[in-house]
Amino acid sequence: MSLAQQTKSGRYYVGKSETLLKQPDFLELQGQIQLIFTSPPFPLNSKKSYGNMLGDEYLKWFTSLAPLFSEMLTEDGSIVIELGNSWESQRPVQSLLPLQSLLNFVSHPEANLRLIQEFVCYNPSRLPSPANWVTVNRIRTVDSYTRLWWIAKTDFPKADNSKVLRPYSDRMKYLLKTGNYNSGKRPSEHKIGETSFLKDCGGSIAHNLLELEDMDSNRKVRLPNAFSYSNSSSNDFFAKTCKQRKITPHPARMPMGLPAFFIEFLTDPGDWVLDPFAGSNTTGYAAARLDRQWLAIDAEEKYADQSKIRFEDPALTTQTISE
């Protein structure tokens, strides 16, 4: 085990998660982690530079993580795992491996887990894939989303959707201003009262479809406020610094808004957030910006060095600058 980075808000370790989570530094934190947010290596059918396993090997490995993660959580803590799609090798057929991995993980007999909710992150800017069946043979459409699975040990994990509201639409702002809308019974048999929509709650409840860009050019994207990190200078700082230092960034970085959304939704300031497959530590950086404590693990030391670049960002307060 190697402690590669330490700040006043968190620590980055280099090693394999399945090994490190059994070591004394992590055993001391069992039952104290409020959120495990991570994007593990996807179950792909060809090797990537950041490492991934295939087939049954992946399934067994991923399933074995369930009790390790569960033991780290508080009783009302959450696990959020991003899993992408995969395709059968040399075939235009989508693989069931991601779904099998999820099912085995959640139903592990020693983990006491249950699936709370599914989220879909839609990103139309993703490169066309699988390329052989989309851009070469043109017999499939672009795979433009990933799923995020919210999992917990209880039916009622800590959560507050009032902390991740979406900005009101222009139509809703007009309604609040004028107080006029059609009340009464709907074809769905819902009854809308005369004042049901007149309370200004500061925004609308977030959806489980996270739309990173416009699906309809005539309608504004209304991502939760946590996604403001996605377009902040922090991403520019990291990318520009890597370019200046001739460093190739982690190839599978997630939008900053993704961890920020779930951190705000499922934790409070001061809570612990763990990313067992941290890469360049987008999760840890977002946690630090949101006044949470963080732990990060990755098998590749070069990504710990990239995490250090994130924490050079002048946007961070003095409380999160490296010691």
Side-chain angles (χ1 to χ4, degrees), residues 205-233:
I205 297 171
H207 291 193
N208 69 337
L209 171 65
L210 303 172
E211 178 188 347
L212 298 186
E213 294 181 19
D214 295 350
M215 294 178 69
D216 178 354
S217 60
N218 296 317
R219 177 179 56 80
K220 293 180 180 178
V221 172
R222 291 189 295 123
L223 284 166
N225 292 328
F227 275 78
S228 62
Y229 287 114
S230 297
N231 300 314
S232 70
S233 61

Side-chain angles (χ1 to χ4, degrees), residues 30-80:
Q30 280 190 352
Q32 298 184 48
I33 304 299
Q34 193 61 43
L35 173 63
I36 296 174
F37 181 90
T38 195
S39 180
F42 291 173
L44 306 176
N45 283 301
S46 60
K47 290 288 184 182
K48 296 292 186 180
S49 61
Y50 51 88
N52 60 287
M53 290 173 278
L54 310 179
D56 289 341
E57 180 189 14
Y58 182 93
L59 184 61
K60 292 176 182 177
W61 168 78
F62 188 83
T63 303
S64 72
L65 298 173
L68 294 176
F69 287 9
S70 180
E71 289 171 353
M72 298 300 299
L73 291 183
T74 62
E75 287 306 308
D76 63 352
S78 293
I79 302 168
V80 176

Side-chain angles (χ1 to χ4, degrees), residues 122-186:
Y122 169 67
N123 183 2
S125 294
R126 290 183 67 188
L127 292 174
S129 65
N132 191 42
W133 311 119
V134 175
T135 60
V136 179
N137 291 290
R138 292 185 174 267
I139 58 174
R140 297 293 181 267
T141 59
V142 176
D143 195 2
S144 59
Y145 72 92
T146 59
R147 291 187 177 97
L148 294 104
W149 304 99
W150 175 16
I151 301 160
K153 294 196 292 187
T154 172
D155 294 2
F156 298 97
K158 181 195 286 189
D160 184 351
N161 67 27
S162 70
K163 297 191 295 187
V164 286
L165 297 174
R166 299 193 305 165
Y168 281 132
S169 65
D170 291 341
R171 183 176 179 181
M172 184 62 185
K173 291 175 183 176
Y174 180 77
L175 184 154
L176 289 170
K177 182 178 179 180
T178 63
N180 295 323
Y181 67 95
N182 294 325
S183 58
K185 197 171 184 179
R186 297 290 193 266

Side-chain angles (χ1 to χ4, degrees), residues 5-10 284-294 307-308 310-323:
Q5 179 188 16
Q6 182 167 1
T7 77
K8 291 185 177 180
S9 60
Y285 178 85
R289 288 282 300 266
L290 294 167
D291 196 27
R292 275 69 167 174
Q293 301 180 87
W294 59 271
S307 173
K308 294 174 185 177
R310 291 198 184 278
F311 282 79
E312 294 175 20
D313 188 346
L316 281 171
T317 64
T318 55
Q319 284 76 29
T320 57
I321 294 177
S322 297
E323 294 176 326

Side-chain angles (χ1 to χ4, degrees), residues 2 22 31 46 53 72 92 94 116 127 149 151 186 206 240 243 254 277 280 292:
S2 172
K22 299 175 184 177
S46 60
M53 290 173 278
M72 298 300 299
Q94 194 163 327
I116 302 299
L127 292 174
W149 304 99
I151 301 160
R186 297 290 193 266
K240 288 178 180 177
K243 186 175 182 179
M254 68 179 70
F277 307 100
S280 62
R292 275 69 167 174

